[in-house]
Amino acid sequence: AAGNLSAPSAAAAVTTPAPTPADHEAPTRPVKLRGKVDGSRAATLSWGGSTDDVGVTSYDIYQEGSRIHSVPGAQTTARLTGLRPGTVYTFTVRARDAADTSSPDSNTFDLTTATAPGAPASTAPTDLRITSSAQGKEYAVDLDWKQPETGGKIPAYQLYLDGRLTTTIVWGGEPPAGRASYRLTVTDPRGTRYSMKIRAKLPDGKWGDFSAARTVVLGG
């Protein structure tokens, strides 16, 4: 209290951590995404690892554009549970680094869970293919797909773009047999990315199961 100082304590040496390197680059794209179903409610995915100038901290699993699961960066497999029986799922994976920068999407991989006992067969269209081509200042997006077996003619389809209903496809005459096709014209700029899926109107008037989602990039 009088302001007198004691003798110094013993010295203690410390070393501060080295500075964390700046992370300026996004991770590379995960490759060779593949997987298998485990019954009607689970699946396991695996992929080739990404690289980053500092390091990959995690991998994010997406289902039709929504992140549903994450695993640490040292892990290149993921087990997904809580899936629905007899349902088509479309998965992609992105790598993420310490700066929270994500890689481009991996390849798309589709899985169909097993149907539950007594459940009806899937009514989802399959083998959906999408391409885009420039038409002046617009882009034509061409879709074609294999129609589901429904026991009757399919009078219409609903087309969803980025999770929202965009149009109802109604045939002008006799519904096509086998594969069906449709052209959508859009005015968005080159490089715009869409996720698209369709479902059929069944002969009983109800809407069937969704197809696997497909991604198209205008001009890509």
Side-chain angles (χ1 to χ4, degrees):
N4 299 315
L5 298 177
S6 71
S9 69
V14 297
T15 302
T16 57
T20 302
D23 197 336
H24 298 298
E25 298 180 10
T28 60
R29 176 179 184 259
V31 296
K32 297 182 180 179
L33 175 62
R34 55 199 180 276
K36 60 181 181 180
V37 295
D38 182 10
S40 60
R41 295 188 178 275
T44 299
L45 301 177
S46 60
W47 57 89
S50 300
T51 59
D52 184 68
D53 58 332
V54 174
V56 174
T57 58
S58 64
Y59 289 96
D60 299 323
I61 293 87
Y62 285 77
Q63 146 63 13
E64 293 191 14
S66 297
R67 188 170 70 184
I68 61 168
H69 192 67
S70 296
V71 296
Q75 188 172 327
T76 56
T77 62
R79 177 171 169 79
L80 309 175
T81 58
L83 305 180
R84 291 181 296 162
T87 301
V88 179
Y89 288 95
T90 302
F91 297 109
T92 54
V93 173
R94 298 177 195 168
R96 189 153 43 96
D97 63 18
D100 211 28
T101 303
S102 293
S103 72
D105 287 347
S106 69
N107 59 292
T108 299
F109 190 81
D110 295 335
L111 284 174
T112 303
T113 52
T115 57
S122 173
T123 56
T126 56
D127 193 25
L128 175 62
R129 300 183 298 204
I130 308 176
T131 58
S132 71
S133 58
Q135 304 285 323
K137 294 183 179 180
E138 300 177 330
Y139 279 91
V141 179
D142 291 298
L143 304 88
D144 71 277
W145 61 92
K146 183 179 179 181
Q147 301 190 88
E149 296 292 337
T150 62
K153 295 179 180 179
I154 298 174
Y157 285 86
Q158 286 183 331
L159 170 60
Y160 279 69
L161 190 152
D162 293 336
R164 297 184 298 274
L165 176 63
T166 298
T167 189
T168 299
I169 304 167
V170 179
W171 312 117
E174 184 73 8
R179 295 191 71 87
S181 60
Y182 179 73
R183 169 169 284 190
L184 176 70
T185 301
V186 295
T187 58
D188 291 314
R190 177 184 176 88
T192 300
R193 175 192 180 99
Y194 296 129
S195 174
M196 308 178 84
K197 60 184 178 180
I198 58 173
R199 63 178 179 176
K201 190 171 188 179
L202 307 181
D204 65 1
K206 295 183 179 180
W207 292 102
D209 300 321
F210 279 109
S211 70
R214 287 289 177 265
T215 299
V216 63
V217 179
L218 299 184

PDB file of all heavy atoms in Angstrom, residues 180-204:
ATOM      1  N   ALA A 180     -40.615 -39.040 -72.633  1.00  0.00           N
ATOM      2  CA  ALA A 180     -41.324 -37.786 -72.883  1.00  0.00           C
ATOM      3  C   ALA A 180     -40.299 -36.658 -72.870  1.00  0.00           C
ATOM      4  O   ALA A 180     -39.200 -36.795 -72.326  1.00  0.00           O
ATOM      5  CB  ALA A 180     -42.391 -37.547 -71.818  1.00  0.00           C
ATOM      6  N   SER A 181     -40.662 -35.516 -73.473  1.00  0.00           N
ATOM      7  CA  SER A 181     -39.730 -34.390 -73.525  1.00  0.00           C
ATOM      8  C   SER A 181     -40.507 -33.082 -73.417  1.00  0.00           C
ATOM      9  O   SER A 181     -41.714 -33.015 -73.682  1.00  0.00           O
ATOM     10  CB  SER A 181     -38.909 -34.409 -74.818  1.00  0.00           C
ATOM     11  OG  SER A 181     -39.752 -34.319 -75.947  1.00  0.00           O
ATOM     12  N   TYR A 182     -39.766 -32.026 -73.018  1.00  0.00           N
ATOM     13  CA  TYR A 182     -40.374 -30.696 -72.858  1.00  0.00           C
ATOM     14  C   TYR A 182     -39.281 -29.650 -72.985  1.00  0.00           C
ATOM     15  O   TYR A 182     -38.133 -29.877 -72.563  1.00  0.00           O
ATOM     16  CB  TYR A 182     -41.057 -30.581 -71.490  1.00  0.00           C
ATOM     17  CG  TYR A 182     -41.688 -29.247 -71.232  1.00  0.00           C
ATOM     18  CD1 TYR A 182     -42.861 -28.869 -71.888  1.00  0.00           C
ATOM     19  CD2 TYR A 182     -41.123 -28.343 -70.335  1.00  0.00           C
ATOM     20  CE1 TYR A 182     -43.453 -27.635 -71.655  1.00  0.00           C
ATOM     21  CE2 TYR A 182     -41.712 -27.108 -70.089  1.00  0.00           C
ATOM     22  CZ  TYR A 182     -42.875 -26.760 -70.761  1.00  0.00           C
ATOM     23  OH  TYR A 182     -43.440 -25.542 -70.535  1.00  0.00           O
ATOM     24  N   ARG A 183     -39.628 -28.505 -73.563  1.00  0.00           N
ATOM     25  CA  ARG A 183     -38.681 -27.387 -73.673  1.00  0.00           C
ATOM     26  C   ARG A 183     -39.198 -26.195 -72.879  1.00  0.00           C
ATOM     27  O   ARG A 183     -40.346 -25.776 -73.045  1.00  0.00           O
ATOM     28  CB  ARG A 183     -38.463 -26.996 -75.128  1.00  0.00           C
ATOM     29  CG  ARG A 183     -37.703 -25.673 -75.297  1.00  0.00           C
ATOM     30  CD  ARG A 183     -37.257 -25.411 -76.721  1.00  0.00           C
ATOM     31  NE  ARG A 183     -36.081 -26.233 -77.070  1.00  0.00           N
ATOM     32  CZ  ARG A 183     -35.375 -26.057 -78.182  1.00  0.00           C
ATOM     33  NH1 ARG A 183     -35.722 -25.123 -79.060  1.00  0.00           N
ATOM     34  NH2 ARG A 183     -34.339 -26.826 -78.431  1.00  0.00           N
ATOM     35  N   LEU A 184     -38.335 -25.642 -72.016  1.00  0.00           N
ATOM     36  CA  LEU A 184     -38.639 -24.456 -71.225  1.00  0.00           C
ATOM     37  C   LEU A 184     -37.726 -23.330 -71.694  1.00  0.00           C
ATOM     38  O   LEU A 184     -36.517 -23.516 -71.825  1.00  0.00           O
ATOM     39  CB  LEU A 184     -38.389 -24.738 -69.739  1.00  0.00           C
ATOM     40  CG  LEU A 184     -38.571 -23.580 -68.761  1.00  0.00           C
ATOM     41  CD1 LEU A 184     -40.037 -23.215 -68.645  1.00  0.00           C
ATOM     42  CD2 LEU A 184     -37.991 -23.948 -67.392  1.00  0.00           C
ATOM     43  N   THR A 185     -38.294 -22.147 -71.983  1.00  0.00           N
ATOM     44  CA  THR A 185     -37.509 -20.992 -72.405  1.00  0.00           C
ATOM     45  C   THR A 185     -37.358 -20.021 -71.238  1.00  0.00           C
ATOM     46  O   THR A 185     -38.344 -19.679 -70.574  1.00  0.00           O
ATOM     47  CB  THR A 185     -38.179 -20.276 -73.585  1.00  0.00           C
ATOM     48  OG1 THR A 185     -38.310 -21.194 -74.673  1.00  0.00           O
ATOM     49  CG2 THR A 185     -37.350 -19.092 -74.052  1.00  0.00           C
ATOM     50  N   VAL A 186     -36.114 -19.600 -70.967  1.00  0.00           N
ATOM     51  CA  VAL A 186     -35.842 -18.706 -69.841  1.00  0.00           C
ATOM     52  C   VAL A 186     -35.009 -17.523 -70.323  1.00  0.00           C
ATOM     53  O   VAL A 186     -34.339 -17.588 -71.356  1.00  0.00           O
ATOM     54  CB  VAL A 186     -35.108 -19.445 -68.704  1.00  0.00           C
ATOM     55  CG1 VAL A 186     -35.979 -20.527 -68.104  1.00  0.00           C
ATOM     56  CG2 VAL A 186     -33.799 -20.034 -69.199  1.00  0.00           C
ATOM     57  N   THR A 187     -35.050 -16.436 -69.550  1.00  0.00           N
ATOM     58  CA  THR A 187     -34.331 -15.208 -69.922  1.00  0.00           C
ATOM     59  C   THR A 187     -33.220 -14.859 -68.949  1.00  0.00           C
ATOM     60  O   THR A 187     -32.643 -13.781 -69.033  1.00  0.00           O
ATOM     61  CB  THR A 187     -35.320 -14.026 -70.008  1.00  0.00           C
ATOM     62  OG1 THR A 187     -35.978 -13.871 -68.742  1.00  0.00           O
ATOM     63  CG2 THR A 187     -36.358 -14.267 -71.089  1.00  0.00           C
ATOM     64  N   ASP A 188     -32.899 -15.750 -68.013  1.00  0.00           N
ATOM     65  CA  ASP A 188     -31.828 -15.477 -67.056  1.00  0.00           C
ATOM     66  C   ASP A 188     -30.471 -15.486 -67.755  1.00  0.00           C
ATOM     67  O   ASP A 188     -30.305 -16.078 -68.826  1.00  0.00           O
ATOM     68  CB  ASP A 188     -31.851 -16.510 -65.932  1.00  0.00           C
ATOM     69  CG  ASP A 188     -33.070 -16.348 -65.038  1.00  0.00           C
ATOM     70  OD1 ASP A 188     -33.363 -15.200 -64.669  1.00  0.00           O
ATOM     71  OD2 ASP A 188     -33.718 -17.357 -64.730  1.00  0.00           O
ATOM     72  N   PRO A 189     -29.454 -14.832 -67.165  1.00  0.00           N
ATOM     73  CA  PRO A 189     -28.151 -14.724 -67.826  1.00  0.00           C
ATOM     74  C   PRO A 189     -27.376 -16.031 -67.825  1.00  0.00           C
ATOM     75  O   PRO A 189     -27.662 -16.956 -67.046  1.00  0.00           O
ATOM     76  CB  PRO A 189     -27.424 -13.654 -67.004  1.00  0.00           C
ATOM     77  CG  PRO A 189     -28.066 -13.717 -65.658  1.00  0.00           C
ATOM     78  CD  PRO A 189     -29.512 -14.054 -65.912  1.00  0.00           C
ATOM     79  N   ARG A 190     -26.396 -16.091 -68.720  1.00  0.00           N
ATOM     80  CA  ARG A 190     -25.485 -17.236 -68.790  1.00  0.00           C
ATOM     81  C   ARG A 190     -24.864 -17.495 -67.418  1.00  0.00           C
ATOM     82  O   ARG A 190     -24.507 -16.571 -66.695  1.00  0.00           O
ATOM     83  CB  ARG A 190     -24.379 -16.948 -69.818  1.00  0.00           C
ATOM     84  CG  ARG A 190     -23.327 -18.037 -69.945  1.00  0.00           C
ATOM     85  CD  ARG A 190     -22.234 -17.624 -70.913  1.00  0.00           C
ATOM     86  NE  ARG A 190     -21.180 -18.616 -70.973  1.00  0.00           N
ATOM     87  CZ  ARG A 190     -21.178 -19.672 -71.785  1.00  0.00           C
ATOM     88  NH1 ARG A 190     -22.186 -19.845 -72.635  1.00  0.00           N
ATOM     89  NH2 ARG A 190     -20.187 -20.542 -71.781  1.00  0.00           N
ATOM     90  N   GLY A 191     -24.738 -18.757 -67.061  1.00  0.00           N
ATOM     91  CA  GLY A 191     -24.165 -19.134 -65.775  1.00  0.00           C
ATOM     92  C   GLY A 191     -25.198 -19.340 -64.687  1.00  0.00           C
ATOM     93  O   GLY A 191     -24.853 -19.841 -63.614  1.00  0.00           O
ATOM     94  N   THR A 192     -26.462 -18.962 -64.934  1.00  0.00           N
ATOM     95  CA  THR A 192     -27.512 -19.198 -63.939  1.00  0.00           C
ATOM     96  C   THR A 192     -27.683 -20.704 -63.739  1.00  0.00           C
ATOM     97  O   THR A 192     -27.700 -21.473 -64.689  1.00  0.00           O
ATOM     98  CB  THR A 192     -28.842 -18.577 -64.391  1.00  0.00           C
ATOM     99  OG1 THR A 192     -28.677 -17.176 -64.559  1.00  0.00           O
ATOM    100  CG2 THR A 192     -29.935 -18.834 -63.358  1.00  0.00           C
ATOM    101  N   ARG A 193     -27.822 -21.103 -62.490  1.00  0.00           N
ATOM    102  CA  ARG A 193     -27.886 -22.521 -62.127  1.00  0.00           C
ATOM    103  C   ARG A 193     -29.297 -22.871 -61.660  1.00  0.00           C
ATOM    104  O   ARG A 193     -29.874 -22.157 -60.831  1.00  0.00           O
ATOM    105  CB  ARG A 193     -26.862 -22.784 -61.021  1.00  0.00           C
ATOM    106  CG  ARG A 193     -26.853 -24.176 -60.431  1.00  0.00           C
ATOM    107  CD  ARG A 193     -25.991 -24.143 -59.172  1.00  0.00           C
ATOM    108  NE  ARG A 193     -25.927 -25.432 -58.534  1.00  0.00           N
ATOM    109  CZ  ARG A 193     -24.916 -26.275 -58.684  1.00  0.00           C
ATOM    110  NH1 ARG A 193     -23.899 -25.942 -59.432  1.00  0.00           N
ATOM    111  NH2 ARG A 193     -24.918 -27.444 -58.075  1.00  0.00           N
ATOM    112  N   TYR A 194     -29.840 -23.958 -62.167  1.00  0.00           N
ATOM    113  CA  TYR A 194     -31.168 -24.432 -61.761  1.00  0.00           C
ATOM    114  C   TYR A 194     -31.081 -25.866 -61.257  1.00  0.00           C
ATOM    115  O   TYR A 194     -30.316 -26.682 -61.763  1.00  0.00           O
ATOM    116  CB  TYR A 194     -32.142 -24.452 -62.939  1.00  0.00           C
ATOM    117  CG  TYR A 194     -32.473 -23.124 -63.566  1.00  0.00           C
ATOM    118  CD1 TYR A 194     -32.368 -22.953 -64.951  1.00  0.00           C
ATOM    119  CD2 TYR A 194     -32.917 -22.050 -62.813  1.00  0.00           C
ATOM    120  CE1 TYR A 194     -32.696 -21.749 -65.557  1.00  0.00           C
ATOM    121  CE2 TYR A 194     -33.244 -20.843 -63.405  1.00  0.00           C
ATOM    122  CZ  TYR A 194     -33.129 -20.701 -64.778  1.00  0.00           C
ATOM    123  OH  TYR A 194     -33.444 -19.513 -65.375  1.00  0.00           O
ATOM    124  N   SER A 195     -31.916 -26.171 -60.259  1.00  0.00           N
ATOM    125  CA  SER A 195     -32.182 -27.550 -59.869  1.00  0.00           C
ATOM    126  C   SER A 195     -33.615 -27.857 -60.291  1.00  0.00           C
ATOM    127  O   SER A 195     -34.543 -27.115 -59.951  1.00  0.00           O
ATOM    128  CB  SER A 195     -32.030 -27.725 -58.358  1.00  0.00           C
ATOM    129  OG  SER A 195     -32.421 -29.029 -57.962  1.00  0.00           O
ATOM    130  N   MET A 196     -33.804 -28.937 -61.053  1.00  0.00           N
ATOM    131  CA  MET A 196     -35.117 -29.226 -61.642  1.00  0.00           C
ATOM    132  C   MET A 196     -35.526 -30.666 -61.334  1.00  0.00           C
ATOM    133  O   MET A 196     -34.696 -31.570 -61.296  1.00  0.00           O
ATOM    134  CB  MET A 196     -35.078 -28.990 -63.156  1.00  0.00           C
ATOM    135  CG  MET A 196     -34.528 -27.623 -63.542  1.00  0.00           C
ATOM    136  SD  MET A 196     -34.421 -27.349 -65.327  1.00  0.00           S
ATOM    137  CE  MET A 196     -36.103 -26.813 -65.648  1.00  0.00           C
ATOM    138  N   LYS A 197     -36.833 -30.857 -61.127  1.00  0.00           N
ATOM    139  CA  LYS A 197     -37.394 -32.187 -60.940  1.00  0.00           C
ATOM    140  C   LYS A 197     -38.836 -32.173 -61.428  1.00  0.00           C
ATOM    141  O   LYS A 197     -39.460 -31.106 -61.555  1.00  0.00           O
ATOM    142  CB  LYS A 197     -37.327 -32.611 -59.468  1.00  0.00           C
ATOM    143  CG  LYS A 197     -38.076 -31.707 -58.505  1.00  0.00           C
ATOM    144  CD  LYS A 197     -37.879 -32.147 -57.062  1.00  0.00           C
ATOM    145  CE  LYS A 197     -38.602 -31.217 -56.083  1.00  0.00           C
ATOM    146  NZ  LYS A 197     -38.407 -31.639 -54.672  1.00  0.00           N
ATOM    147  N   ILE A 198     -39.383 -33.349 -61.705  1.00  0.00           N
ATOM    148  CA  ILE A 198     -40.742 -33.446 -62.228  1.00  0.00           C
ATOM    149  C   ILE A 198     -41.497 -34.559 -61.514  1.00  0.00           C
ATOM    150  O   ILE A 198     -40.896 -35.440 -60.891  1.00  0.00           O
ATOM    151  CB  ILE A 198     -40.748 -33.722 -63.756  1.00  0.00           C
ATOM    152  CG1 ILE A 198     -39.976 -35.011 -64.058  1.00  0.00           C
ATOM    153  CG2 ILE A 198     -40.174 -32.553 -64.534  1.00  0.00           C
ATOM    154  CD1 ILE A 198     -40.073 -35.441 -65.506  1.00  0.00           C
ATOM    155  N   ARG A 199     -42.834 -34.487 -61.624  1.00  0.00           N
ATOM    156  CA  ARG A 199     -43.667 -35.581 -61.155  1.00  0.00           C
ATOM    157  C   ARG A 199     -44.883 -35.698 -62.058  1.00  0.00           C
ATOM    158  O   ARG A 199     -45.331 -34.709 -62.662  1.00  0.00           O
ATOM    159  CB  ARG A 199     -44.090 -35.384 -59.698  1.00  0.00           C
ATOM    160  CG  ARG A 199     -44.944 -34.166 -59.413  1.00  0.00           C
ATOM    161  CD  ARG A 199     -45.318 -34.139 -57.934  1.00  0.00           C
ATOM    162  NE  ARG A 199     -46.121 -32.965 -57.595  1.00  0.00           N
ATOM    163  CZ  ARG A 199     -46.634 -32.754 -56.383  1.00  0.00           C
ATOM    164  NH1 ARG A 199     -46.434 -33.627 -55.411  1.00  0.00           N
ATOM    165  NH2 ARG A 199     -47.349 -31.660 -56.128  1.00  0.00           N
ATOM    166  N   ALA A 200     -45.415 -36.902 -62.144  1.00  0.00           N
ATOM    167  CA  ALA A 200     -46.503 -37.195 -63.076  1.00  0.00           C
ATOM    168  C   ALA A 200     -47.859 -37.093 -62.390  1.00  0.00           C
ATOM    169  O   ALA A 200     -47.991 -37.362 -61.190  1.00  0.00           O
ATOM    170  CB  ALA A 200     -46.329 -38.593 -63.642  1.00  0.00           C
ATOM    171  N   LYS A 201     -48.849 -36.711 -63.178  1.00  0.00           N
ATOM    172  CA  LYS A 201     -50.241 -36.806 -62.729  1.00  0.00           C
ATOM    173  C   LYS A 201     -50.723 -38.205 -63.062  1.00  0.00           C
ATOM    174  O   LYS A 201     -50.716 -38.625 -64.224  1.00  0.00           O
ATOM    175  CB  LYS A 201     -51.115 -35.756 -63.413  1.00  0.00           C
ATOM    176  CG  LYS A 201     -52.512 -35.662 -62.806  1.00  0.00           C
ATOM    177  CD  LYS A 201     -53.279 -34.473 -63.361  1.00  0.00           C
ATOM    178  CE  LYS A 201     -54.596 -34.274 -62.617  1.00  0.00           C
ATOM    179  NZ  LYS A 201     -55.336 -33.096 -63.131  1.00  0.00           N
ATOM    180  N   LEU A 202     -51.125 -38.949 -62.062  1.00  0.00           N
ATOM    181  CA  LEU A 202     -51.483 -40.345 -62.239  1.00  0.00           C
ATOM    182  C   LEU A 202     -52.892 -40.480 -62.830  1.00  0.00           C
ATOM    183  O   LEU A 202     -53.690 -39.529 -62.778  1.00  0.00           O
ATOM    184  CB  LEU A 202     -51.398 -41.073 -60.898  1.00  0.00           C
ATOM    185  CG  LEU A 202     -50.057 -40.912 -60.159  1.00  0.00           C
ATOM    186  CD1 LEU A 202     -50.076 -41.692 -58.852  1.00  0.00           C
ATOM    187  CD2 LEU A 202     -48.895 -41.343 -61.036  1.00  0.00           C
ATOM    188  N   PRO A 203     -53.207 -41.630 -63.394  1.00  0.00           N
ATOM    189  CA  PRO A 203     -54.540 -41.813 -63.982  1.00  0.00           C
ATOM    190  C   PRO A 203     -55.684 -41.583 -62.997  1.00  0.00           C
ATOM    191  O   PRO A 203     -56.801 -41.238 -63.411  1.00  0.00           O
ATOM    192  CB  PRO A 203     -54.500 -43.272 -64.460  1.00  0.00           C
ATOM    193  CG  PRO A 203     -53.057 -43.525 -64.749  1.00  0.00           C
ATOM    194  CD  PRO A 203     -52.320 -42.765 -63.681  1.00  0.00           C
ATOM    195  N   ASP A 204     -55.434 -41.754 -61.674  1.00  0.00           N
ATOM    196  CA  ASP A 204     -56.499 -41.514 -60.691  1.00  0.00           C
ATOM    197  C   ASP A 204     -56.598 -40.051 -60.270  1.00  0.00           C
ATOM    198  O   ASP A 204     -57.382 -39.708 -59.382  1.00  0.00           O
ATOM    199  CB  ASP A 204     -56.308 -42.405 -59.465  1.00  0.00           C
ATOM    200  CG  ASP A 204     -55.030 -42.089 -58.679  1.00  0.00           C
ATOM    201  OD1 ASP A 204     -54.299 -41.157 -59.090  1.00  0.00           O
ATOM    202  OD2 ASP A 204     -54.772 -42.762 -57.666  1.00  0.00           O
TER     203      ASP A 204
END
